[in-house]
Amino acid sequence: MRRQQGGRRGACMKERQAAAAQLAIAALGFLGAEPERLGRFLALTGIAPQSIRAAAREPNFLAGVLEHIADDERLLLSFVAEHAIDPREVTRARDTLAGGRRERELP
């Protein structure tokens, strides 16, 4: 019985990771829909436009996309309104992709 429960937890975690990655891909599409948004993201991250596709395969990059959205209230509210989701879903997905709850740096 224990083995079965462990398998369920693993499957559940994989499902959460897949859902988080899908949300991050949607966020990346949201950024890319407007050149100004995408330009700011590229400038802040230093990533080249031609590198985005390869980077999008990496959970930490996807977590960074969600972090970028979450850190800008205007972007966050626009994104969640467009996708009809709760803003907390963005931070939960970011945490899932980052491997757990992230602690913010204190000034």
Side-chain angles (χ1 to χ4, degrees), residues 67 94-95 98 100-106:
E67 181 79 19
R94 178 206 57 210
D95 292 345
R101 182 170 289 269
R102 289 189 51 185
E103 292 186 27
R104 292 190 163 277
E105 292 181 23
L106 299 175

Side-chain angles (χ1 to χ4, degrees), residues 9-76:
R9 274 184 280 194
C12 186
M13 177 54 100
K14 286 184 180 185
E15 289 172 13
R16 282 198 312 265
Q17 289 171 335
Q22 286 179 338
L23 185 62
I25 296 296
L28 193 54
F30 170 78
L31 293 173
E34 288 192 20
E36 187 176 305
R37 287 182 191 156
L38 182 59
R40 184 168 189 274
F41 175 74
L42 295 174
L44 290 173
T45 61
I47 192 166
Q50 62 271 23
S51 301
I52 291 176
R53 187 177 306 269
R57 295 185 194 113
E58 298 297 324
N60 286 331
F61 174 78
L62 294 175
V65 170
L66 294 174
E67 181 79 19
H68 176 76
I69 296 279
D71 281 350
D72 183 323
E73 185 177 15
R74 187 176 52 95
L75 268 182
L76 176 64

